[in-house]
């Protein structure tokens, strides 16, 4: 195996080339031979299983038992109708669940892993699944190792292999070792394994095994079985349905009992009870909720964010604070150097070309050699064609040096990288040790925040001379320049270097690079603000969501950028990393809640911020992209990773921003609110006329009347009401004003006061009124079947039409948005058509025991429906008034 072979032998065995990588031809051939580099992944949803699953539904089972019973009782019509109802429920349930499963599967497939690979001499970013054995790959901190690989070069590499070996502590890796053949997996320090994480350092390696042949692949069948979490919403919905089921069960038992006492045949009463159970229990609710959630996730995706779990979709709507990175999220991240300041000169972009200023040249050298960006293409004059992979700050240095016709490879020829401290938001600098191949000297190149580099420097470069910092005010001068540039919203980098005659025995990077540097100057980088951000922040503010900006940049830079996007922070509303470290704990919490900007912070502070806010019962959304951000992402209610962020961050996040734009966070929150809104509408609508049937049947038994609705009629109504319009409500679009309200409380019940009042002040009285009419007409001696038909169309029509009132709990039904939901219109028309069929189609008339009704009866039904709508609208009006006033005052 490769851990027992030398690097050279490995490269030979794999038939590859460490400097150029494989050719396209070789990789295509390999791919044909070995297939894709992926584990047997989650299978797409299978129709047949989802269909069979429908039979495990409790209500389906009850119905099937009822069907069997009616067959035994020789009630053939009822048998057919119940079977039809079962089939209908099965089909609708199947369609809904299949659709949801497909969407979720599609979303899961979008979470892909990328790899940096060297092919034909160039570095590319490709999908990890396209790797083949022999490929030369690069891994950096935060990457997920894309395949099993033998290290060729490594710098301070540590990986976490817990997923493979169960070992939680970081494993140290080194390219230059060879191990005996029998070494256990966990001790093979010259190998990295697919699915493990690179925690720090970086490496170049060659792929030895892919997909199912990898170590991960061998145990994949075990690792793939991750369980889906149940979201709090699902739990809420389940307990709600259970409560309703319990209530109905009690009511139905009573009714059954009452009927038998009245001397109605047990078989008939039994069917009535079953039909009532079917009508009352909102069996469609859970599935419809899942549909609302998945539809919402899809809409969020259209707005360029990928929600990784259903849970996040619903929590989004309750977000009260968004903590967002400045760099790349509020700003565009397309950074360009605009000025370089040395001790004696200011260089603008146009001065970069054709100068031979030694300080400027040295700054470019530091910028290129102390740089972790991979060059994909930097050839030709046209810089629009250039492509770099990596940190935008460092990319900016490539463009700047390019203006002076300097490329990394010009320098690389003469240097060999010995060691590196990669950039880290905590350290705020980066350093490399390079061996000069011409004279054997070792040179250190360092870049980072101005304060840091000044701290490390003992000398500075002025007019081609190296001078010593003798007086403190010489450093002061650079700090002053730094602060001036920051106030102009520049992101500022400082550069320094140091030369040692010979390579020390034990090279201690930390020690060498933090003392005795020669300070070169400042690089001012422009990172323009994204255009849509200002408006998005304003929308958040109106929606009662506070936006806090977090950055490692200088306070002054952060403040100016904040002003540009409408985060106007007073001096005491800006906290620095130092403040967070040294404020007394008693004050810290409230200070963090007040602050609008956090500057010069390190990733560990993010966790502190999240925790302080959560202490104050805030629902926090937090962005992040590095490995160091993962604890904060995990702790936040909504952890948001950048699309280009590290694999580690993406894996712990709840949502991934595909375009890194702050605007997208705001859009996702809005969609989250729409989701909750729609769930509320669906639930309200399902429950609105549920109890009406219980009252009608129970009342009839109480007063010893013939039943006002037959079991088959109740079943038919169940199809008309619950099946179509309710499903269609799930497709409701955004309501106006949804982002003008305060965030809803996370523990807020699905049915808010308005909806409860609507159920109790409309649903119940309507049933009683209808019963009174029935009571009156029975006493007048009208025909039973005629009256049943009347009750049937009145209740069904009312229920179908009031869906338009349930469509919005904010705006009245007389709004031009009433008919905007195409699905709803189709559903309502279909339902009314089914209702007409039930009354006029001779075959159905016999089954449903209905009779054709005239214009007068229809008028009555319509009038009754109109009365209901009026009542709902009045309740809506009363409840919405105070809210409108509140927003007016604001
Ligand atoms: P941000 O949250 O704005 O990305 P960082 O913590 O990444 O902040 O950066 C803070 C400071 O560190 C910057 O103002 C800059 O001076 C310096 N810096 C940023 N990126 C690099 C880098 N790749 N190498 C060296 N210094 C850097
Ligand atoms: Mg950064």
């Amino acid at each position: 195996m490769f851990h027992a072979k030398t690097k050279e032998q490995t490269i030979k065995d794999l038939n590859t080339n460490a400097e150029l990588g494989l050719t396209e031809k070789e990789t295509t051939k390999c791919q044909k031979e070995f297939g894709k580099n992926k584990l047997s992944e989650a299978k797409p949803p299978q129709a047949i299983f989802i269909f069979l699953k429908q039979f495990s539904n409790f209500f389906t089972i009850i119905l099937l038992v009822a069907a069997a019973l009616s067959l035994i009782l020789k009630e053939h019509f009822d048998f057919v109708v119940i079977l039809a109802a079962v089939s209908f429920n099965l089909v609708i349930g199947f369609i809904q669940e299949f659709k949801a499963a497909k969407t979720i599967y599609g979303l899961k497939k979008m979470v892909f892993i990328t790899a940096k690979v060297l092919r034909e001499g160039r570095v590319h970013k490709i999908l990890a699944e396209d790797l083949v054995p022999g490929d030369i790959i690069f891994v950096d901190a935060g990457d997920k190792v894309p395949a099993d690989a033998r290290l060729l070069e490594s710098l301070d590499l540590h990986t976490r292999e817990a997923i493979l070996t169960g070992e939680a502590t970081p494993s140290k890796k080194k390219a230059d070792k060879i191990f005996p053949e029998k070494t256990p997996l966990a001790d093979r320090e010259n190998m990295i394994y697919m699915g493990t994480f690179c925690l720090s350092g970086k490496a170049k390696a060659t792929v030895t095994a892919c997909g199912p042949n990898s170590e991960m692949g061998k145990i994949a069948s075990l690792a793939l079985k991750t369980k889906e979490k149940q979201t709090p919403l699902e739990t809420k919905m389940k307990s709600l349905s259970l409560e309703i089921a319990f209530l109905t069960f009690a009511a139905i038992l009573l009714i059954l009992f009452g009927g038998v006492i009245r001397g109605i045949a047990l078989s008939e009463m039994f069917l009535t009870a079953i039909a009532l159970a079917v009508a009352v229990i909102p069996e469609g609710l859970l599935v419809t909720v899942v549909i609302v959630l998945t539809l919402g996730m899809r809409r969020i995706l259209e707005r360029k964010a990928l929600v990784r779990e259903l849970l996040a979709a619903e929590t989004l709507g309750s977000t009260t604070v968004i903590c967002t990175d400045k760099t790349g999220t509020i700003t565009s991240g397309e950074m360009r150097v605009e000025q370089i300041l040395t001790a004696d000169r200011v260089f603008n972009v146009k001065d970069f070309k054709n100068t031979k200023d030694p300080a400027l040249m040295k700054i470019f050298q530091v910028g290129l050699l102390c740089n972790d960006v991979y060059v994909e293409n930097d050839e030709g004059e046209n810089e629009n064609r250039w492509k770099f992979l990596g940190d935008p700050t460092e990319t900016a240095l490539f463009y700047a040096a390019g203006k002076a016709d300097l490329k990394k490879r010009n320098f690389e020829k003469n240097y060999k990288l010995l060691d590196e401290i990669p950039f880290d938001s905590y350290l705020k600098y980066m350093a490399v040790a390079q061996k000069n191949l011409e004279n054997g000297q070792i040179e250190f190149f360092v870049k980072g925040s101005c304060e840091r580099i000044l701290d490390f420097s003992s000398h500075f470069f002025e007019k081609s001379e190296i001078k010593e910092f003798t007086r403190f005010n010489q450093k002061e001068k650079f700090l002053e320049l730094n602060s001036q540039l920051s106030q102009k919203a520049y992101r500022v980098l400082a550069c320094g270097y140091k030369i040692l005659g010979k390579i020390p025995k034990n090279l201690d990077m930390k020690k060498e690079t933090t003392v005795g540097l020669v300070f070169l100057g400042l690089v001012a980088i422009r990172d323009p603000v994204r255009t849509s951000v200002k408006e998005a922040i304003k929308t958040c503010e109106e929606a009662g969501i506070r936006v806090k900006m977090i950055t490692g940049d200088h306070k002054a830079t952060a403040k100016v950028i904040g002003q540009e996007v409408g985060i106007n922070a007073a001096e005491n509303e800006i906290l620095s990393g130092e403040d967070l470290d040294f404020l007394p704990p008693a004050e810290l919490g409230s200070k963090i809640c007040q602050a609008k900007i956090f500057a010069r912070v390190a990733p560990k502070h993010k966790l502190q911020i999240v925790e302080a806010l959560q202490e104050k019962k805030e629902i926090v959304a937090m962005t992040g992209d590095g490995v160091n951000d993962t604890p904060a992402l995990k702790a936040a209610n909504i952890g948001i990773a950048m699309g280009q962020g590290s694999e580690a961050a993406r894996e712990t996040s709840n949502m991934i921003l595909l375009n890194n734009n702050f605007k997208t966070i705001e859009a996702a929150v809005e969609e989250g609110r729409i989701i909750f809104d729609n769930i509320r509408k669906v639930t309200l609508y399902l429950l609105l006329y549920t109890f009406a049937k219980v009252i009608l049947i129970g009342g009839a038994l109480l007063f010893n009347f013939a039943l006002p609705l037959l079991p088959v009629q109740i079943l038919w109504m169940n199809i008309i009401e619950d099946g179509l319009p309710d499903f269609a409500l799930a497709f409701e679009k955004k309501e106006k004003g949804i982002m003008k309200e305060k965030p809803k409380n996370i523990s807020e019940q699905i049915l808010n006061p308005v909806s409860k009042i609507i159920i109790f002040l409309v649903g119940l009285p309507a049933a009683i009124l209808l019963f009174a009419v029935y009571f009156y007409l029975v006493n007048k001696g009208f025909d039973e079947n005629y009256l049943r038909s009347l009750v049937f169309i009145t209740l069904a029509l009312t229920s179908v039409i009031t869906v338009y009132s349930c469509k919005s709990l904010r705006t009245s039904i007389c709004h031009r948005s009433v008919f905007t939901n195409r699905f709803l219109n189709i559903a309502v028309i279909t339902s009314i058509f089914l209702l007409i069929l039930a009354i006029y189609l001779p075959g159905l008339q016999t089954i449903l025991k209905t009779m054709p009704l005239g214009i007068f009866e229809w008028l009555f039904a319509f009038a009754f429906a109109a009365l209901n709508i009026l009542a709902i609208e009045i309740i809506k009006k009363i409840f919405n008034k105070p809210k409108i006033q509140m927003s007016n005052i604001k």
Side-chain angles (χ1 to χ4, degrees):
M1 287 305 287
F2 293 105
H3 61 272
K5 290 183 179 158
T6 61
K7 293 189 268 189
E8 294 71 27
Q9 190 62 39
T10 308
I11 287 174
K12 215 167 133 215
D13 286 2
L14 289 167
N15 223 341
T16 180
N17 181 320
E19 301 316 314
L20 297 174
L22 298 176
T23 61
E24 285 305 322
K25 228 159 122 196
E26 286 166 326
T27 47
T28 353
K29 194 172 139 256
C30 267
Q31 263 168 10
K32 274 204 191 112
E33 194 175 327
F34 294 102
K36 293 252 171 196
N37 172 36
K38 56 182 177 184
L39 310 176
S40 50
E41 54 186 325
K43 289 203 184 69
Q46 290 202 297
I48 181 75
F49 288 120
I50 292 180
F51 183 72
L52 289 177
K53 206 178 131 207
Q54 305 302 314
F55 286 94
S56 67
N57 185 319
F58 177 64
F59 306 112
T60 310
I61 296 173
I62 292 193
L63 278 178
L64 286 174
V65 171
L69 274 176
S70 51
L71 199 60
I72 296 169
L73 297 169
K74 297 217 163 44
E75 294 280 349
H76 296 293
F77 281 149
D78 287 337
F79 172 71
V80 172
V81 174
I82 294 179
L83 226 49
V86 176
S87 325
F88 185 79
N89 275 338
L90 280 179
V91 170
I92 287 279
F94 167 73
I95 293 175
Q96 294 188 341
E97 221 176 306
F98 188 64
K99 212 173 139 88
K102 249 174 65 179
T103 311
I104 292 175
Y105 171 72
L107 291 177
K108 269 198 189 141
K109 263 198 358 195
M110 288 201 56
V111 187
F112 48 77
I113 300 170
T114 56
K116 293 180 282 273
V117 66
L118 182 71
R119 284 185 184 167
E120 302 190 343
R122 286 198 179 166
V123 185
H124 305 272
K125 195 168 190 170
I126 62 165
L127 289 181
E129 59 174 51
D130 291 330
L131 285 177
V132 294
D135 260 330
I136 306 292
I137 55 169
F138 298 93
V139 292
D140 295 274
D143 287 351
K144 199 167 184 173
V145 177
D148 288 3
R150 166 74 161 89
L151 295 176
L152 301 176
E153 289 167 25
S154 68
L155 274 180
D156 191 32
L157 184 69
H158 287 86
T159 60
R160 187 170 56 221
E161 300 190 328
I163 190 169
L164 209 58
T165 61
E167 177 57 58
T169 50
S171 318
K172 198 174 164 51
K173 298 285 176 179
K174 212 135 180 89
D176 292 327
K177 289 189 176 171
I178 299 176
F179 294 90
E181 190 68 47
K182 286 216 178 72
T183 314
L185 204 66
D187 298 332
R188 296 177 194 167
E189 292 178 9
N190 56 7
M191 297 284 296
I192 49 176
Y193 293 102
M194 181 173 183
T196 62
F197 269 113
C198 174
L199 293 175
S200 67
K202 57 183 201 170
K204 182 174 172 182
T206 177
V207 174
T208 55
C210 282
N213 299 324
S214 67
E215 294 301 326
M216 194 61 191
K218 292 176 195 159
I219 59 161
S221 47
L222 299 172
L224 266 181
K225 279 186 201 128
T226 44
K227 238 177 95 189
E228 301 261 327
K229 267 188 280 181
Q230 197 175 51
T231 77
L233 185 75
E234 258 181 284
T235 331
K236 270 188 220 168
M237 293 311 292
K238 279 220 167 113
S239 63
L240 182 71
S241 336
L242 265 179
E243 274 164 33
I244 298 167
F246 183 76
L247 267 179
T248 12
F249 197 61
I252 287 166
L253 269 184
L254 263 178
I255 285 177
L256 195 63
F257 192 65
V260 174
I261 289 179
R262 293 276 175 221
I264 302 173
L266 184 63
S267 60
E268 190 180 326
M269 265 334 284
F270 190 75
L271 284 174
T272 310
I274 295 267
L276 265 183
V278 173
V280 177
I281 293 170
E283 70 274 16
L285 194 53
L286 272 178
V287 192
T288 319
V289 166
V290 174
I291 288 281
V292 173
L293 284 169
T294 43
L295 282 175
M297 286 167 81
R298 251 214 332 237
R299 273 198 308 255
I300 294 175
L301 184 63
E302 274 160 25
R303 300 173 81 167
K304 294 284 173 287
L306 179 65
V307 175
R308 291 186 59 237
E309 48 198 3
L310 282 177
L311 167 75
E314 65 182 83
T315 320
L316 266 172
S318 315
T319 307
T320 59
V321 179
I322 301 175
C323 300
T324 172
D325 284 335
K326 170 183 79 65
T327 309
T329 309
I330 288 199
T331 63
S332 72
E334 281 163 21
M335 303 188 196
R336 290 293 183 272
V337 175
E338 284 193 355
Q339 273 187 353
I340 295 182
L341 277 66
T342 60
D344 47 297
R345 267 195 73 176
V346 174
F347 297 90
N348 288 310
V349 179
K350 59 175 175 13
D351 309 325
F352 292 176
K353 215 176 165 79
N354 302 328
T355 85
K356 291 283 168 285
D357 185 273
L360 185 66
M361 285 299 139
K362 203 79 192 161
I363 287 178
F364 284 140
Q365 188 182 15
V366 173
L368 291 176
L369 287 179
C370 177
N371 198 318
D372 275 332
V373 163
Y374 295 90
V375 181
E376 200 168 335
N377 177 21
D378 64 353
E379 281 151 40
E381 284 283 305
N382 184 355
E383 62 168 62
N384 293 330
R385 294 248 179 87
W386 296 351
K387 257 180 108 178
F388 302 101
L389 286 178
D391 183 12
T393 313
E394 298 185 350
T395 305
L397 297 171
F398 274 92
Y399 282 103
K403 293 249 191 296
D405 288 326
L406 292 173
K407 310 274 161 154
K408 187 170 188 173
R409 61 187 119 76
N410 302 140
F411 291 106
E412 253 177 350
K413 275 190 304 209
N414 301 333
Y415 285 95
K416 182 179 180 309
L417 181 66
L418 296 177
D419 208 344
E420 171 177 334
I421 300 175
F423 176 74
D424 182 305
S425 263
Y426 176 70
L427 298 173
K428 302 242 183 299
Y429 73 92
M430 167 177 178
V432 293
Q434 301 264 12
K435 183 175 167 183
N436 187 329
L437 298 177
E438 280 172 356
N439 56 20
Q441 288 177 336
I442 175 167
E443 301 185 16
F444 297 94
F445 301 113
V446 189
K447 70 185 201 304
S449 75
C450 179
E451 299 92 319
R452 271 295 139 92
I453 305 300
L454 272 182
D455 241 12
F456 301 161
S457 301
S458 57
H459 292 71
F460 66 104
F461 205 92
E462 189 176 38
K463 302 206 172 100
S464 313
E465 274 178 57
I466 296 174
K467 299 182 178 167
E468 197 172 347
F469 278 118
T470 44
R471 291 190 318 270
F472 186 68
N473 63 5
Q474 284 169 321
K475 284 197 177 181
E476 200 80 330
K477 190 185 115 194
F478 286 109
L479 285 174
E480 177 56 31
L481 283 176
N482 176 38
S483 132
Q484 279 172 11
L485 289 173
S486 301
Q487 276 159 21
K488 290 189 207 150
Y490 283 119
R491 182 174 175 83
V492 186
L493 271 184
C495 296
Y497 78 102
K498 168 171 155 184
I499 300 179
L500 284 188
K502 61 181 198 319
I503 303 172
K505 258 226 183 78
N506 290 316
L507 177 59
D508 182 343
M509 276 300 274
K510 278 248 158 77
K511 217 176 96 201
E512 292 293 350
T513 56
T514 51
V515 288
L517 298 187
V518 179
F519 191 87
L520 285 167
L522 300 173
V523 180
I525 300 173
R526 171 74 64 204
D527 185 9
V529 163
R530 288 177 187 272
T531 44
S532 51
V533 169
K534 189 168 185 179
E535 206 187 305
I537 287 182
K538 194 163 158 249
T539 311
C540 285
E541 224 153 64
E542 285 170 352
I545 302 163
R546 280 165 302 141
V547 179
K548 297 180 190 292
M549 185 169 97
I550 300 182
T551 180
D553 261 348
H554 196 278
K555 250 187 185 178
T557 313
K559 188 173 173 186
V560 186
I561 299 264
Q563 278 164 355
E564 271 181 52
V565 295
I567 303 178
N568 297 308
E571 211 46 53
N572 65 345
E573 288 170 325
I574 306 178
L575 285 186
S576 69
E578 257 172 53
D579 294 336
L580 293 173
D581 285 335
F582 296 113
L583 274 176
E587 277 175 49
L588 198 59
S590 56
K591 277 263 162 67
I592 288 179
C593 290
Q594 278 166 18
K596 291 182 176 166
I597 292 177
F598 298 89
R600 281 283 187 253
V601 293
K604 64 167 185 179
H605 295 122
K606 284 190 171 179
L607 182 61
Q608 215 178 343
I609 295 170
V610 169
E611 284 173 348
L613 288 168
Q614 283 176 336
E615 184 99 336
K616 296 255 160 34
K617 297 277 174 296
E618 305 281 1
I619 305 297
V620 187
M622 165 71 84
T623 66
D625 53 8
V627 226
N628 300 334
D629 291 332
T630 50
L633 291 182
K634 214 179 228 163
N637 301 74
I638 304 274
I640 305 172
M642 298 301 135
Q644 269 76 50
S646 70
E647 220 60 65
R650 294 180 358 144
E651 197 128 302
T652 39
S653 68
N654 307 102
M655 185 169 94
I656 299 173
L657 282 194
L658 299 179
N659 59 1
N660 293 0
N661 194 338
F662 178 81
K663 167 87 187 139
T664 305
I665 304 179
E666 181 255 317
V669 169
E670 179 182 281
E671 291 296 343
R673 290 188 173 196
I674 300 174
I675 288 172
F676 195 81
D677 244 23
N678 283 356
I679 289 175
R680 175 169 285 161
K681 291 174 198 170
V682 167
T683 316
L684 165 67
Y685 178 68
L686 264 185
L687 297 182
L688 187 49
Y689 289 104
T690 319
F691 300 107
K693 288 144 214 158
V694 183
I695 289 174
L696 283 168
I697 305 282
L701 290 170
L702 195 65
F703 294 98
N704 209 7
F705 283 175
L707 295 179
L709 282 171
L710 293 175
V712 279
Q713 292 170 343
I714 295 177
L715 290 174
W716 191 260
M717 262 163 82
N718 194 45
I719 296 178
I720 292 179
E721 301 163 5
D722 293 1
L724 300 171
D726 195 57
F727 184 31
L729 263 188
F731 291 83
E732 272 302 308
K733 298 234 171 61
K734 162 188 169 182
E735 272 186 45
K736 244 177 115 177
I738 195 166
M739 288 302 267
K740 300 258 190 280
E741 292 167 9
K742 297 247 133 25
K744 77 170 175 62
N745 198 316
I746 190 89
S747 58
E748 187 170 315
Q749 285 177 339
I750 292 165
L751 292 177
N752 60 347
V754 205
S755 23
K756 276 187 192 148
I757 288 177
I758 290 179
I759 293 177
F760 286 100
L761 285 186
V762 179
L764 287 184
I768 294 169
L769 182 66
L770 190 58
F771 183 74
V773 173
Y774 178 72
F775 186 87
Y776 175 76
L777 294 176
V778 168
N779 281 339
K780 284 255 160 167
F782 279 92
D783 174 61
E784 254 177 42
N785 274 350
Y786 163 77
L787 285 183
R788 274 186 199 131
S789 304
L790 183 64
V791 170
F792 176 65
I793 64 158
T794 308
L795 199 54
L797 193 70
T798 305
S799 169
V800 168
I801 296 182
T802 42
V803 77
Y804 284 112
S805 250
C806 297
K807 194 172 133 63
S808 166
L809 295 179
R810 295 189 184 80
T811 45
S812 98
I813 196 170
C814 313
H815 192 269
R816 66 194 137 79
S817 66
V818 165
F819 295 114
T820 44
N821 184 344
R822 199 157 36 96
F823 296 105
L824 191 63
N825 300 339
I826 295 172
V828 167
I829 291 170
T830 316
S831 289
I832 293 179
F833 182 67
L834 285 175
L835 184 60
I836 292 173
L837 281 189
I839 298 283
Y840 295 107
L841 195 72
L844 277 177
Q845 281 174 356
T846 356
I847 295 177
L848 296 171
K849 305 209 174 65
T850 50
M851 44 189 287
L853 298 170
I855 186 81
F856 175 75
E857 287 78 11
W858 281 102
L859 276 180
F860 172 78
F862 268 108
F864 191 82
L867 191 67
N868 275 274
I869 288 176
L870 188 68
I872 297 178
E873 292 302 322
I874 290 173
I875 293 174
K876 270 163 43 175
K877 190 118 209 157
I878 294 171
F879 259 83
N880 284 334
K881 238 192 196 136
K883 230 179 245 160
I884 290 164
Q885 280 168 351
M886 239 161 51
S887 59
N888 277 349
I889 292 166
K890 225 180 144 189

